[in-house]
Amino acid sequence: MAKEECITQWNKTGDTSTLRNRKICLTSEKTLQAPSTSLSKDKHSHTAGHLSENDTQSSNGAQFSTRGNLSKDPPSRVLLMLLVGLSFSTRLYKITEPPHVCWDETHFGKMGSYYINRTFFFDVHPPLGKMLIGLAGYMTGYDGSFPFIKPGDKYDHHNYWGMRGFCAVLGSCLPIFAYLIVLELSQSQTAALITATLLIFDTGSITISQYILLDPILLFFIMAAVLSMVKFNQQRYRPFAASWWLWLVLTGVNLAGALGVKFVGLFVILLVGLNTIWDLWRILGDLSLSLVEIAKHFLARVVGLILFPLFLYVTIFAIHFVVLNKSGPGDGFFSSAFQSRLIGNNLHNASMPEYLAFGSTITIKNLRIAGGYLHSHWHLYPEGVGSKQQQVTAYLHKDYNNLWLVHRPDENESQSGTPDLVRHGDIIRLEHVETTRNLHSHLHEAPLTKKHFQVTGYGINGTGDKNDLWQVEVCGGRKGDLVKVLRSKVRFLHRATGCVLYSSGKTLPKWGWEQVEVTCSPYLKETPSSQWNIEDHINPSLPNISLSVLKPHFLEILLESHIVMIRGNSGLKPKDNEMNSKPWHWPVNYQGLRFSGVNDTEYRVYLLGNPVVWWIHLASLGLYPIMSAVAAIALKRGFSLSQKRIEHSHVLMREGGLLFLAWLLHYAPFYTMGRILYYHHYFPAMLFSSMLTGITFDILLKSTDLLIRRPYCDWLQRLGQMVLLFSILYSFYLFHPLSYGMKGPLAHEPGSAMAGLKWMDSWEF
């Protein structure tokens, strides 16, 4: 039947070359069907995300194996070594300059020091990146003693080059990974070389790699995950071989690494997940596989891409908690139970009564991030701010003015030897120990949150009124449940107004000593801002227990740390007069970031992508959908195309589509984010646009034969490649001071090395 089909098509077209190609295809198909030709399968088949043997068709309806006919350019060792040399030299050049703290080094360098000193801290990102920075510093002789107070601080004798060098080495791998990914996807040495050149000579990629930042570490794991995924896809017809398992496991390792550095790693996890779903769908349609074999494929991917990465991710946090075992600046962001495990914290190895009782002296901590301790002092609210009564605030530090006495509403405490325990639903009065005023609320509006009610200190020596009474509510509890120290989440409902005690997180003006506003909220929904816990608890009439029995389990602190990180991320809002970058700014290279220096006497470094490179990326993002649409229509309508042209069309649509999807996944979500955004958030997406540019421009230049005949089309193709290369190199020559440092006059001043290069008014160099 196959032979008859060939003859029929030949009679229709009269094209002997089509017949010859058809016979080759049939031979390949027969080879693929042979039981002992796994090697032939590997040679004549698509990788994941590509067409299978019978998925593609020529202009006259002929089926063929794209991968079987698409010649593969083997990676040139000489070319690869040249790219490695250029990439490492451009990133490691002047790595010690400037010899002072630049931009976010003040955060991530300090956090590396915390790991060396084993001091607990809080950050909105997972810990792997900071752990690796700290490890790099420790291994290269840094002792963790530099304070990293602010940008511009001199490093002096401190050994900082190891941490910068580590980040630069990882950043140097990015062009190499991109080269290998594009080579695997397109099988075109030219496309891979264009991609690597774009990245090697991009000033933005160089700058982001040269400092103590999380970005080069994140980008390394993202690119390594994509390279591993592509390599794994190439092993499709060697299932369960050693190389198949190797690339599957490496994909999982790098996914865990990407997520372990920043939550942005979720985007590459989504990319790999979509690729895996497509691959499993293809396997499900392979009728030559039994259900047992399909189940093996499914379970292997569950283990390699879900369970193993999850285990590694959890292990990262286990190491994080073991290393950071000393009390530090991050204590106040976490619950009292969490703090009890930190050496040096006042709750560590402490003992106190387990259940809250009337007559106890306590401190009350809010559960929102930076919610603070319930606090009061002798100062009154100023004129015009509610009632001119004593201020009640939330204070972020431990202080004597955080102490409160728990009383019954009728002021009569139990005279028996054992005081009565406070239970869910009980009415209490809280008296401030230092000033003897009661915690009080009324219908005056709060200082900052105008829809809430004011909270004050009222009365003296226990005397007051009905507005001093609060009902205790254990979150998730029932009437009669006891209030556990450290463990119970408690709300205080105001009896007179029905509102709930609330920490708004807003900072009061100077009259409030810039402490946190406390209000009484009429909105009764349970939120961390309205939830509190009892931290310190003093009552000589009750037996003490060691807080070690109340220490949370690993899974509890793992869950709490993620809740705190997620809340911290969502709470990163722009401050007054702070520049907030917009996602639409990024692809057009609208505005960069100052890494170092402002005036003409300082060493200035400015994070900005090479304008020519980034605008080439932008052009390719516009060209790609148009070229893909034209290719798809041409194939669908059966236009008379050469086999080579059909191969290029499929590479453009399938492999290019994978990269375009990756770019979208790493870029589009930022439009939905409410947190503050910065220019450097675009760099993961930029890597994928670079790879897409390599494939797009390679195929565009190879399409010159549609316009003119040989050899002129070959000459035009070579000319286009040379113009592209020259543009990249010359623009790098012009803009390299952005990365390697500028001194002297600014760009708009006479005599500046950057004179005439401020092509956009929004650039600030």
Side-chain angles (χ1 to χ4, degrees), residues 64 90 96 122 251 300 338 351 367 436 450 522 540 546 555 752:
F64 66 94
T90 51
T96 58
F122 164 71
T251 303
F338 188 100
S351 60
L367 297 187
T436 71
K450 299 303 182 182
S546 172
L555 291 180
S752 171

Side-chain angles (χ1 to χ4, degrees), residues 337 340 353-354 485-487 545-552 556:
S340 68
E354 183 177 7
V485 173
L486 299 183
R487 305 299 288 274
I545 65 164
S546 172
L547 293 187
S548 60
V549 303
L550 301 180
K551 285 182 181 178
E556 291 178 297

Side-chain angles (χ1 to χ4, degrees), residues 519-548:
T519 69
C520 198
S521 171
Y523 308 105
L524 301 184
K525 181 181 178 181
E526 286 190 9
T527 68
S529 295
S530 65
Q531 294 174 330
W532 307 75
N533 75 285
I534 311 304
E535 183 167 292
D536 296 289
H537 183 208
I538 303 168
N539 194 322
S541 301
L542 291 175
N544 291 337
I545 65 164
S546 172
L547 293 187
S548 60

Side-chain angles (χ1 to χ4, degrees), residues 522-599:
Y523 308 105
L524 301 184
K525 181 181 178 181
E526 286 190 9
T527 68
S529 295
S530 65
Q531 294 174 330
W532 307 75
N533 75 285
I534 311 304
E535 183 167 292
D536 296 289
H537 183 208
I538 303 168
N539 194 322
S541 301
L542 291 175
N544 291 337
I545 65 164
S546 172
L547 293 187
S548 60
V549 303
L550 301 180
K551 285 182 181 178
H553 300 297
F554 170 72
L555 291 180
E556 291 178 297
I557 62 177
L558 179 67
L559 177 62
E560 180 179 347
S561 64
H562 279 77
I563 293 173
V564 172
M565 284 189 293
I566 292 169
R567 289 177 185 165
N569 254 309
S570 61
L572 292 174
K573 306 295 183 183
K575 299 177 182 177
D576 292 340
N577 301 320
E578 185 176 9
M579 182 62 67
N580 184 24
S581 182
K582 303 289 194 300
W584 71 264
H585 291 173
W586 305 338
V588 298
N589 218 22
Y590 180 77
Q591 189 176 45
L593 270 172
R594 284 197 187 102
F595 265 38
S596 173
V598 177
N599 56 52

